Amino acid sequence: MSMKLWGGRFATGSDQLFEQFSSSLGFDQRLLEADVVGSKAFASALEKVDILSSDERDCIRTACDEILKESQAPNYFDNVDDEDIHTFVIRKLAEKVGELAEKIHTGRSRNEQVATDLRIWLREEIRDDRVRLTEIMQSLLSFARREPSAVLPGYTHLRRAQPVLWAHYLLAYFEMFERDWERLGIAFDRTNVLPLGSGALAGSGFPFDRQEMAEELGFASISRNSLDAISDRDFAIDFLHAASVTMLHLSRLAEDWIIYSSEEFSFIELDDKITSGSSLMPQKKNPDAFELVRGKVGPVVGNLTALMMTMKGLPLAYNRDLQEDKIPVFDAADHLAGSLEITRLSIDTATINTAAMETAANESWSCATELAEVLARNGVPFHRAHQIVGTLVLESLRVKKQPQDWTAEQLQYIAPEFGTDAVEFLSAKKALENHKLPGGTAPSVVLKSLEQAEERLANMRDEQT
Ligand code: ARG
């Protein structure tokens, strides 16, 4: 039977089956560093209220540092059977400082400790994810700079719709990731609040300086209500929501690029570094990295649902159900971090086939809307203009003509309002030039958007450091 922090009230020990069932060390060992730095701050607080002498405080803090160092060793957690990471750290402390370790829990509960540990851990994770997101945003901007004039057919219903600049397409994802970065920032702020000093549920009976503990642990503020602080996990739900939306966005890019890199499209060439082959079909080059990103949305969104369901109907304040909070958080964090990193590498190593893209945009009557608008500008009611161009497309399909096969004279024969310049708009590159409103795909507008995105990204980076 393992050491307990609560044995006194029990006449007999717990069953081994229960011990195995209730132990969380298998997963909460990831909180070791957070638990140790929290214990260091708490030792200082105990010294301030005269529970520890300054020598005892130093002794505990030094032992904490040693534990941290030792924990780097592989197999550190082999053959241990403690109930959770907090019990494990106390046992390690006791091995180093003897009876003194028994004082560290004065006025402290594992309930507040685990809430604090998870916040410390998650804060770092969110910080790293935001950096990863800025790296992806940088990759998108660099790609846009490399290919400023490439054109592709924009799609609706996955049917060629209107031509857009490749840079404009990339900037669409920049916008999504920028909002994800903001959402993660909100989750960070909600996480960055210190529960320590809340006791088991009712606050502490010792006059700890909570503000000082917050400063040592880098928290922006202290929690305002002890019941809430030890028992809510909405900061983690905020993270899981932000992670889920980020994954949704990553999966949309993944899906686009899986399609665009297929033989049918051949717009994008994915690098060997992020693709894999088939054990049977020698010719295959599969977009596995993107498929995995797409696949991982399932577990991440599932983790959001899992934690919400764990929280549903929980009576105040702490309940052991809350131990289950860490599994979805860790799992989602791992999927998100991996997906962000592989997406960045995939973007950085991809190349585009500008000719194939432009041909697709030119061949597919993606200029039709533009032609109808030429007529409308020349006084034809739009409904009629739409009809005229629709008939032109139908006729072209019948006689197998491409848009570029039509001459100015032929167009004017169909409708004199086409004027002499309508033929120019039969090319995709020309067709998008009119889209000069803010947010549009005209090259001059996209260039400005690109510059503004670069500026915003620089500010995001500054904010991060
Ligand atoms: N391991 C627990 C958790 O993760 C913390 C311990 C609190 N246990 C308790 N019985 N009050 O939530």
Side-chain angles (χ1 to χ4, degrees), residues 24 28 84 86 110-111 114 318 320 322-323 326:
S24 53
D28 68 12
D84 56 24
H86 325 294
R110 279 183 298 164
N111 299 352
V114 73
Y318 179 85
R320 192 65 179 272
L322 288 170
Q323 182 166 292
K326 287 167 278 300

Side-chain angles (χ1 to χ4, degrees), residues 163 358-372 374 389 392-393 396 401-411 418 420-432:
E358 195 167 339
T359 304
N362 278 330
E363 277 177 354
S364 52
W365 286 100
S366 64
C367 60
T369 312
E370 232 42 57
L371 277 190
V374 169
V389 179
L392 177 68
V393 172
S396 303
K401 264 189 168 186
Q402 292 298 335
Q404 293 77 35
D405 297 335
W406 291 92
T407 64
E409 294 72 34
Q410 288 168 326
L411 286 183
F418 270 127
T420 49
D421 59 345
V423 271
E424 288 177 30
F425 293 96
L426 293 169
S427 103
K429 265 208 166 121
K430 179 74 186 167
L432 53 76

Side-chain angles (χ1 to χ4, degrees), residues 123-136:
R123 240 175 18 181
E124 291 313 305
E125 195 65 20
I126 296 177
R127 224 179 245 143
D128 292 347
D129 287 335
R130 293 182 94 210
V131 171
R132 292 181 184 109
L133 265 173
T134 54
E135 283 167 0
I136 291 190

Side-chain angles (χ1 to χ4, degrees), residues 364-400:
S364 52
W365 286 100
S366 64
C367 60
T369 312
E370 232 42 57
L371 277 190
E373 289 183 1
V374 169
L375 290 177
R377 254 179 247 118
N378 293 340
V380 181
F382 187 75
H383 184 64
R384 241 193 68 214
H386 191 289
Q387 290 277 19
I388 293 169
V389 179
T391 311
L392 177 68
V393 172
L394 189 65
E395 177 60 10
S396 303
L397 293 174
R398 199 181 62 80
V399 299
K400 300 200 168 38

